[in-house]
Every structure is written in structure tokens, then in C-alpha cells.
Amino acid sequence: MNPKVWEASGHVSSFSDPLIDCKECKMRHRADNLIEEFNPEVRADGMTTDEMVAYIREHNIPCPKCGKSNFI
């Protein structure tokens, strides 16, 4: 699709993936994917980034690469 269409629709200026970093292995993950892979019944797309980080910490969701639950 033409990049001008993305700009006009507001997708370029307001779009961001909710990224979270593992302090142990230094991998970066999408917070919403971590939550939905951990519990497919939870829909993370309605959560704010802060709510997703709180959910990940509350449920000790592990990093898919190293297995630790130590996210920034």
C-alpha cells in the first residue's frame, strides 16, 4: 500500500508495538504475544502497555528463549 495512505489514516504517527525486554537473555518480545501465548483465553489487544506489563509480572510469564521471568 502507498505510504501516504498509512500517514493519512494516522497509522504511522500513532502505531507502536508493546515491546518488553528480557533482562537475562536480552531478547525483545511483544508483550501482547507473550500474554496470549501463555494464556490463549486472554485477549491482550484491549490492554494498555502498563496493564500488559503488570499481567506479565503478576503471572510470572517466562521468556520463551531463556525461561526466566525478568523483564524490563
Side-chain angles (χ1 to χ4, degrees):
M1 188 175 286
N2 188 319
K4 295 288 184 192
V5 174
W6 291 105
E7 289 175 29
S9 66
H11 284 87
V12 174
S13 64
S14 64
F15 183 78
S16 67
D17 287 331
L19 300 177
I20 190 167
D21 295 324
C22 177
K23 291 181 185 178
E24 303 295 326
C25 68
K26 312 296 186 235
M27 287 295 297
R28 179 170 284 167
H29 306 281
R30 283 186 47 175
D32 55 341
N33 288 347
L34 286 175
I35 292 169
E36 291 176 2
E37 287 171 9
F38 178 75
N39 185 351
E41 295 178 13
V42 175
R43 298 298 308 156
D45 58 353
M47 296 179 174
T48 66
T49 301
D50 290 338
E51 290 171 334
M52 284 187 251
V53 170
Y55 185 91
I56 289 167
R57 289 185 177 146
E58 181 180 323
H59 293 88
N60 293 317
I61 296 177
C63 171
K65 181 173 182 189
C66 71
K68 307 273 171 109
S69 184
N70 190 9
F71 295 99
I72 295 176

